[in-house]
Amino acid sequence: MDYVLITGATSGIGYALAEIFYQKGHSLILVGRSLEKLRQTKVQLTKREGMDINEIDLKRKERETSQEIILICQDLSQQEAAQKVYTQVKSQGLKVQILINNAGAGYVGAFVEEDERMILEHMVLNMTSLTLLTRYFAEEMKKLGEGKILNVASTGAYHPGSYTAVYYATKAYVLSLSEALYAELKPVGIHVASLCPGATKTNFAKAAGRADASIAMSAEEVAAKAYKGLMKNKRVIIPGIKNWLWIKVPRKIVMPFIEKYQKNLMHKNVK
């Protein structure tokens, strides 16, 4: 049985992607830092409304023979987390056909006032864990001669972002790494894609200390574009025409706007 492994799978884009892949008949390995949220996610993915008890039981039995949802509780902002996830997958003899590195975090604020520990955790989460998970599972995919990897970057990867400097920098790393691996791994049957969403209505904004942007896309819209692009073997997936146009604007024009925008968001109360 082949699996789709999704990190950051309990909310936002990660959950929306899990829904799509599960509905398409894939078995899932969901990675998150809260076991309770992982269990809730599994229930949400498997529940069926509008059926009587017999129908639900029948569907459950059919699904149990064809699909599974494996839960791995792991905080990917910690050192050696990627190794622990990989070890758990290998110990259960699971074959990952598609890897989606979705987990990520950022914070809006003045760089010199940011907590050192938080900076390091964000760098480990956004770069180190993503890189190592890509490395471990790409090696397995190479042996099989096939596989897909989707690394979630951001439109922020294209422009430096004052007052969210570390986040933008880590996403630039993700995009650069993924585009390089697209060319490197294509000859061995592995497709690597970068997803670069713009503002998205998820828990990310609140966790980053700011409000959602008025132009934010829904996580479901972004996930649908991501799935379609990945299946079509696109190198970079940029959901929405506004986001595509945004990355084409020269840096010297964009950077002052980003600085003003992020600085204003920094001072807004998040409800």
Side-chain angles (χ1 to χ4, degrees):
M1 185 180 293
D2 296 336
Y3 291 82
V4 179
L5 190 156
I6 305 174
T7 68
T10 59
S11 65
I13 297 171
Y15 177 78
L17 282 167
E19 270 195 318
I20 292 173
F21 279 105
Y22 193 69
Q23 289 170 3
K24 297 289 184 180
H26 293 271
S27 290
L28 306 176
I29 303 171
L30 306 181
V31 181
R33 61 181 181 179
S34 167
L35 184 57
E36 180 182 355
K37 289 183 178 180
L38 284 169
R39 288 171 174 164
Q40 291 172 355
T41 297
K42 185 173 182 177
V43 170
Q44 290 171 342
L45 290 173
T46 56
K47 73 180 180 180
R48 287 293 178 268
E49 298 179 357
M51 297 181 180
D52 61 31
I53 299 300
N54 290 332
E55 280 186 294
I56 293 172
D57 289 341
L58 178 61
K59 289 292 183 180
R60 184 179 295 118
K61 289 177 181 178
E62 290 175 351
R63 178 145 293 173
E64 284 174 354
T65 61
S66 61
Q67 285 180 279
E68 289 183 336
I69 298 180
I70 308 296
L71 307 179
I72 297 180
C73 184
Q74 185 63 58
D75 183 354
L76 292 171
S77 69
Q78 303 303 306
Q79 294 286 351
E80 301 181 1
Q83 175 68 58
K84 291 177 181 178
V85 170
Y86 176 69
T87 299
Q88 287 191 57
V89 171
K90 289 290 288 181
S91 67
Q92 296 182 58
L94 307 177
K95 175 187 169 185
V96 174
Q97 180 187 38
I98 299 174
L99 169 66
I100 300 177
N101 283 308
N102 166 74
Y107 189 79
V108 177
F111 177 73
V112 295
E113 296 174 5
E114 289 184 18
D115 179 73
E116 180 181 340
R117 180 177 176 181
M118 182 179 68
I119 291 174
L120 292 173
E121 287 183 351
H122 285 175
M123 292 174 70
V124 170
L125 174 62
N126 295 354
M127 297 189 295
T128 305
S129 289
L130 177 146
T131 301
L132 292 179
L133 286 173
T134 299
R135 167 66 178 80
Y136 297 144
F137 289 106
E139 183 178 11
E140 297 297 319
M141 292 174 184
K142 183 178 179 181
K143 295 174 184 176
L144 300 170
E146 63 177 355
K148 293 181 184 292
I149 299 172
L150 177 67
N151 289 331
V152 178
S154 167
T155 52
Y158 289 88
H159 305 109
S162 300
Y163 297 99
T164 185
V166 173
Y167 175 74
Y168 273 44
T170 61
K171 292 304 181 179
Y173 169 87
V174 171
L175 179 60
S176 178
L177 174 74
S178 302
E179 289 201 87
L181 294 181
Y182 169 85
E184 188 174 330
L185 296 177
K186 185 177 180 180
V188 296
I190 304 171
H191 173 68
V192 180
S194 309
L195 174 63
C196 295
T200 308
K201 295 175 183 177
T202 68
N203 290 332
F204 178 88
K206 187 173 182 180
R210 61 177 174 81
D212 279 320
S214 58
I215 61 171
M217 295 178 68
S218 72
E220 291 75 19
E221 288 177 297
V222 173
K225 296 287 187 182
Y227 177 82
K228 185 176 180 180
L230 183 64
M231 293 302 107
K232 289 188 174 182
N233 292 335
K234 287 192 174 183
R235 178 174 55 88
V236 179
I237 304 161
I238 302 171
I241 187 64
K242 290 181 180 180
N243 291 324
W244 187 85
L245 291 172
W246 174 252
I247 68 167
K248 298 298 181 182
V249 180
R251 285 189 173 194
K252 63 180 180 180
I253 296 175
V254 171
M255 287 176 64
F257 176 82
I258 293 175
E259 177 185 353
K260 181 179 180 180
Y261 178 74
Q262 298 288 11
K263 192 172 183 180
N264 287 339
L265 283 179
M266 184 175 63
H267 297 299
K268 286 185 178 181
N269 293 324
V270 178
K271 297 182 180 180

